[in-house]
Amino acid sequence: MFRTALRNVLAHKARLLMTVLAVMLGVAFVSGTLVFTNTLSNALQNSSAKGFDQVDVAITAESQPDVGDRIVKTPDLTRELLEQSAKVPGAKSAIGVVNGFTAIADKDGKLVGGGFQSQGGNYWGEKDARYPLVSGHAPSGRNEVLIDSRTADRAGYEVGDTVRISVDGPVLTPKIVGVFTTDDGNVAAGGSLALFDTASAQTLFGKPGAYDEIDVRAAAGTSQSALKSALDAALPKDRVETTTGRQLADDQAEAISASMSGMKQGLLVFAGIALFVGTFIIANTFTMLVAQRTKELALMRAVGASRRQVTRSVLIEAFVVGTVAGVTGLVAGIGIGAGLRSLLGTLGATVPDGPLVVTPGTVATAMAVGVVITMVAAWLPGRRAAKIPPVAAMSSVHAAATTKSLVLRNTLGALFSAAGVAVVLTATTMDGSDGQAPMGLGAVLLIIGVFILTPLLSRPLIAASAPVLRIFGVSGKLARQNSVRNPRRTAATASALMIGLTLITGMTVMAGSLQKSIDKMASAAIKADYVVSMANGNELSPDVDAKLKTVDGVTATSPMRNAPARINGETEYLTGVTGSAFGELTDLPMDDGAFTVGGSRVVVDAGTAKHRGWKAGSVFTAHYEDGKEQRLTVAGVYESNELIRGILLDNSALTPHVEDPADMQVMVKTSGGVSDGAKDRLEKALGSNPAIKVQSKQDLSDQIAKMFTLLLNMLYGLLAMAVVVAVLGVINTLAMSVFERSQEIGMLRAIGLDRRSVKRMVRLESLVISLFGGVLGIGLGVFFGWAAGELLGAKMPTYELVLPWGRMAVFLVLAAAVGILAALWPARRASRLNVLTAIKSE
């Protein structure tokens, strides 16, 4: 039986090639994902580990818990603590570390790096072992700065150049006095690092006389753990906590692995989709192969082979196919992993140097996926073949599906579909995250149900194409009849395409609806002409608002300033605004009371009011971080949105209690409205700062649209794998169908059907099957997009369903193109069959 199975594989090389390709693509996606994420994770971990080479023990401020209605401030790391740490037995030296956001502009005035990776820090003394100098000397004063060598190369800076730098808003133009190298992970990932002398860094980052961290080096012969114990004994435990450099590196490696796991899981989901689609093709292929070998298998049964042996022979074939697909898929996956790494570089992301990582786990996973998926898909056809009675099979009596089996299949499909629809509809009534799991379960049940019902659905839906197919005469009529001749095969082929288009359509509907909702939210809630914020999402200096007020044409401004407070024993973040102007800059619907912000009068969003049991006229006490308290009165309750929420009070009441005030954004209204001139004046007033964004509502909308478009394009690219697998499935099905119908095609040719008509018949059959799968996929995608939107709508009042008719038409055209392209080779093969040979074939 083993030799027979191997001979069958070798005898059907061309026929099984499509199956190998389908499995190989899925395996390549899985292994490529693992190789890419492991390589990236390993490179980042190695890079970050080097960054801790100069740290044996790190000292940080002890986090202070909130106590009652009092906010306890985290203590500073002072010069005294630094000197005390350096004198601990076993310590060789100690340095103070200061860091904060620092944006570097290139020679064109644009931000270097990724914004979030734009960092600044301090250079310790005349020679800092953390940052070896390539050229130049240590900085002195805020007019001198060092930059990392990667940034210098990218921006074309040299020692002696003047550079524009932004630190929390204000623009500085220091001179570059040196260039250094670093193993900092942010720089390795494409960010930038600027270093000032310690005193300047402390002043610029708002930490005069204080440090963010103290790094201690161990003396020769002292271990990191021994030094940590000595520091723990010498330093006040209620003020500081200590961590070894080795632990910091391990924690960083764990954090990198955790951050990579999300990307890995996302990519593996799409790989799973491709494999799921490929499973239909494998099952389809083996079903047809087994059908073509019915007499052969019957003969084997007649000479003594058992049912188990027949099934085993089919599984051996599947094992060989899966092994070949697994090996080739692994090789292709390694290439995909290397390609994805190179792609990051072309997109502007810098990846730390390191080897391509192919772990034993990746190899085992690729082989297991290839073999297991193929054998599972082939098991049912093999089992079905073993059940055919030898006499019936040898007499070519192909038993059609019984009425009982059809009723059972349709009943089962109806139950799955009904259960899926019911669960999805129930999930739409749930609140946010609570409905996600039921929604996913319902979607899976519905897809399975539709797949089971697809043979039943194929007849009426394909019959609807009859009026169009009549245009093509005999070829059209034959194509329609052929496409419904074997509904199960048609269903399996169409389902592969259906799943891909379901996902693509569903995500397109959701993305379009979310974009529309956010646009409505911005236009409805904000009346300001411009919103000013930091490029990296950090806080703005209060100087920004002061400068904007002096610009010609500015009629109103309001910073939005966050600060913590304790209310009834719970921490609540208050948002400070300019009460007299905020009503002119926003349009927030009021549920209760009036929008009055000033003095001790505040407004509260409906969610917070409900949680606290407040209404217009309610009075509460806020305990600020400086230890003082204030009685505040709720003047009104407003409807919140994703842009504005929480407790709003006047900055005149909040700011005196905030030690280091900073703004998340500033809203600006101008007399002439939005114009290029107004925007230019605002940007110039801020010193043409590369780290500050001045955005109109349209700019905000375009930014959001760009994010959605980028995400959608990435998803389209990933789902293209499933569509490619579906194309292979259509080709495979048609090729098998042409082989099975060789005698029939020979007879048609003999009675006058020319080659062109034969080609047209096969192409139309492929087109009908592909459009059938496309219609089902788009229909399901719209349903899932609507359902997911209903779930989101519970937390987004402005959400409304947007059906992208244009894109859905494109998807349908794509399905048609898939059918036409997939039919090229099978149609050509059918038209070139020798008439006499085809008639004599069995």
Side-chain angles (χ1 to χ4, degrees):
M1 295 300 293
F2 182 73
R3 286 197 300 271
T4 301
L6 288 180
R7 284 173 182 168
N8 280 324
V9 172
L10 296 175
H12 302 102
K13 298 186 203 70
R15 236 173 287 163
L16 290 173
L17 177 62
M18 296 299 176
T19 305
V20 171
L21 284 174
V23 182
M24 184 199 76
L25 284 172
V27 173
F29 206 162
V30 171
S31 54
T33 295
L34 295 175
V35 168
F36 170 65
T37 52
N38 288 338
T39 298
L40 191 58
S41 178
N42 182 70
L44 290 172
Q45 287 175 12
N46 290 340
S47 176
S48 67
K50 290 179 183 177
F52 296 111
D53 286 347
Q54 301 297 323
V55 183
D56 288 316
V57 177
I59 302 172
T60 54
E62 175 74 29
S63 299
Q64 301 295 316
D66 291 344
V67 179
D69 284 327
R70 185 167 57 91
I71 295 177
V72 182
K73 184 186 173 187
T74 301
D76 291 330
L77 298 179
T78 62
R79 182 77 187 183
E80 289 73 24
L81 277 173
L82 174 69
E83 294 173 350
Q84 188 179 355
S85 303
K87 295 175 182 177
V88 168
K92 178 183 178 182
S93 62
I95 64 173
V97 178
V98 185
N99 52 54
F101 171 71
T102 303
I104 301 177
D106 61 19
K107 291 185 176 181
D108 295 326
K110 296 181 180 178
L111 181 66
V112 176
F116 288 98
Q117 290 81 35
S118 301
Q119 296 295 316
N122 67 311
Y123 189 84
W124 188 260
E126 294 299 318
K127 188 176 182 181
D128 193 330
R130 300 172 298 167
Y131 308 113
L133 287 173
V134 176
S135 59
H137 58 81
S140 177
R142 60 191 299 169
N143 290 322
E144 293 187 354
V145 70
L146 305 180
I147 64 172
D148 67 273
S149 56
R150 290 176 186 256
T151 299
D153 291 340
R154 278 186 294 169
Y157 283 125
E158 297 178 352
V159 173
D161 290 342
T162 299
V163 61
R164 292 176 63 80
I165 287 180
S166 172
V167 178
D168 285 341
V171 178
L172 307 174
T173 54
K175 180 181 179 182
I176 299 174
V177 296
V179 175
F180 63 91
T181 59
T182 178
D183 293 314
D184 185 281
N186 285 327
V187 175
S192 63
L193 180 61
L195 300 177
F196 302 89
D197 68 87
T198 300
S200 298
Q202 289 174 322
T203 302
L204 289 170
F205 300 137
K207 302 157 188 171
Y211 305 101
D212 293 298
E213 182 176 302
I214 296 173
D215 292 343
V216 186
R217 293 300 307 274
T222 303
S223 66
Q224 290 187 356
S225 57
L227 178 59
K228 180 180 184 302
S229 299
L231 288 166
D232 287 340
L235 301 179
K237 294 182 180 179
D238 61 336
R239 292 188 59 191
V240 300
E241 53 187 22
T242 59
T243 312
T244 64
R246 189 177 302 107
Q247 184 62 50
L248 287 172
D250 291 344
D251 291 344
Q252 184 78 354
E254 186 177 341
I256 290 171
S257 296
S259 65
M260 294 299 296
S261 67
M263 179 192 294
K264 182 185 294 186
Q265 290 172 5
L267 291 172
L268 287 176
V269 165
F270 290 100
I273 293 168
L275 285 169
F276 186 55
V277 172
T279 303
F280 293 135
I281 298 169
I282 300 165
N284 220 12
T285 301
F286 276 94
T287 298
M288 289 183 279
L289 286 175
V290 168
Q292 292 167 12
R293 291 165 45 210
T294 301
K295 283 190 176 182
E296 175 190 325
L297 294 174
L299 183 59
M300 291 169 61
R301 291 285 312 281
V303 297
S306 65
R307 287 185 176 183
R308 182 175 296 178
Q309 285 177 312
V310 170
T311 304
R312 192 182 302 155
S313 71
V314 176
L315 291 178
I316 290 171
E317 290 182 51
F319 176 80
V320 173
V321 171
T323 302
V324 173
V327 172
T328 54
L330 175 62
V331 173
I334 294 173
I336 289 173
L340 286 173
R341 180 175 173 175
S342 299
L343 180 62
L344 283 182
T346 62
L347 294 175
T350 306
V351 182
D353 296 330
L356 203 63
V357 178
V358 184
T359 64
T362 299
V363 176
T365 300
M367 296 306 300
V369 166
V371 172
V372 171
I373 290 292
T374 309
M375 292 185 70
V376 167
W379 174 76
L380 188 59
R383 184 171 176 271
R384 191 183 300 133
K387 286 186 173 183
I388 299 175
V391 175
M394 292 180 72
S395 303
S396 295
V397 179
H398 300 288
T402 62
T403 303
K404 180 180 177 181
S405 69
L406 291 175
V407 170
L408 179 62
R409 179 185 180 116
N410 293 337
T411 302
L412 192 62
L415 290 174
F416 267 97
S417 299
V421 171
V423 173
V424 168
L425 292 177
T426 301
T428 61
T429 63
M430 296 182 178
D431 182 30
S433 57
D434 293 340
Q436 291 178 3
M439 181 78 70
L441 174 63
V444 171
L445 290 174
L446 181 55
I447 288 176
I448 293 173
V450 171
F451 171 66
I452 296 173
L453 285 175
T454 306
L456 179 66
L457 297 173
S458 64
R459 290 188 179 276
L461 288 178
I462 292 177
S465 65
V468 178
L469 292 176
R470 285 198 194 99
I471 300 172
F472 300 96
V474 174
S475 297
K477 183 177 181 180
L478 291 172
R480 184 180 64 80
Q481 291 175 347
N482 289 332
S483 57
V484 295
R485 176 184 297 182
N486 191 331
R488 291 188 179 186
R489 184 188 304 171
T490 298
T493 306
S495 296
L497 191 58
M498 176 192 78
I499 292 170
L501 286 178
T502 295
L503 294 168
I504 290 174
T505 304
M507 286 185 292
T508 302
V509 169
M510 281 189 61
S513 300
L514 283 170
Q515 171 68 47
K516 179 73 172 178
S517 303
I518 293 173
D519 286 349
K520 281 180 62 179
M521 185 185 301
S523 61
I526 299 177
K527 292 195 293 186
D529 296 318
Y530 294 98
V531 175
V532 180
S533 61
M534 291 289 282
N536 68 330
N538 276 6
E539 297 174 330
L540 288 164
S541 166
D543 293 343
V544 171
D545 181 51
K547 290 178 180 178
L548 291 172
K549 287 180 178 178
T550 65
V551 178
D552 289 340
V554 171
T555 59
T557 69
S558 175
M560 295 184 69
R561 184 170 300 165
N562 286 352
R566 298 286 290 180
I567 300 174
N568 296 331
E570 296 180 359
T571 298
E572 189 82 54
Y573 275 85
L574 309 179
T575 301
V577 299
T578 302
S580 58
F582 203 69
E584 184 182 349
L585 297 166
T586 59
D587 185 13
L588 299 174
M590 301 300 296
D591 289 345
D592 186 21
F595 193 94
T596 305
V597 177
S600 63
R601 299 179 68 78
V602 303
V603 291
V604 184
D605 71 280
T608 302
K610 182 179 179 181
H611 171 69
R612 299 281 185 180
W614 294 339
K615 59 182 179 179
S618 297
V619 179
F620 63 93
T621 302
H623 299 264
Y624 297 109
E625 58 183 337
D626 63 353
K628 297 181 180 179
E629 63 181 55
Q630 183 180 14
R631 296 279 287 175
L632 300 174
T633 302
V634 177
V637 177
Y638 67 91
E639 293 181 14
S640 65
N641 53 58
E642 295 299 315
L643 303 175
I644 303 171
R645 62 177 61 244
I647 301 173
L648 306 180
L649 74 162
D650 197 273
N651 273 320
S652 61
L654 179 66
T655 304
H657 304 289
V658 181
E659 181 178 349
D660 186 20
D663 304 323
M664 294 306 299
Q665 63 185 31
V666 179
M667 293 185 179
V668 182
K669 192 168 185 62
T670 60
S671 57
V674 176
S675 68
D676 292 339
K679 184 174 182 179
D680 188 56
R681 288 195 298 273
L682 294 175
E683 290 177 341
K684 285 183 177 178
L686 299 174
S688 300
N689 193 323
I692 298 180
K693 298 186 296 184
V694 178
Q695 296 175 294
S696 65
K697 286 190 284 187
Q698 186 59 49
D699 293 333
L700 289 170
S701 179
D702 292 343
Q703 180 182 347
I704 295 167
K706 186 177 179 181
M707 291 167 53
F708 279 119
T709 302
L710 178 62
L711 179 62
L712 268 183
N713 288 340
M714 289 175 61
L715 295 176
Y716 287 162
L718 294 169
L719 286 171
M721 183 71 72
V723 175
V724 170
V725 175
V727 172
L728 292 175
V730 178
I731 295 173
N732 211 9
T733 299
L734 291 173
M736 294 289 187
S737 179
V738 167
F739 179 83
E740 284 183 352
R741 289 154 40 203
S742 294
Q743 188 179 54
E744 174 190 320
I745 292 172
M747 291 295 295
L748 289 171
R749 289 290 312 284
I751 61 175
L753 197 68
D754 59 14
R755 287 186 174 182
R756 180 178 294 179
S757 298
V758 171
K759 282 185 181 180
R760 187 183 298 127
M761 175 187 71
V762 176
R763 288 171 183 166
L764 288 173
E765 179 183 349
S766 174
L767 181 63
V768 167
I769 292 174
S770 296
L771 286 175
F772 170 54
V775 169
L776 284 181
I778 291 172
L780 282 174
V782 169
F783 175 71
F784 290 139
W786 166 82
E790 289 295 303
L791 198 61
L792 288 170
K795 291 191 173 182
M796 191 177 288
T798 57
Y799 184 88
E800 69 173 85
L801 181 67
V802 175
L803 294 180
W805 295 106
R807 291 205 177 191
M808 289 194 291
V810 170
F811 297 155
L812 203 57
V813 171
L814 174 65
V818 165
I820 293 170
L821 291 174
L824 292 178
W825 177 65
R828 185 172 181 272
R829 185 168 180 264
S831 68
R832 290 178 175 270
L833 286 175
N834 183 282
V835 176
L836 295 178
T837 304
I839 291 173
K840 290 189 295 182
S841 67
E842 297 184 2

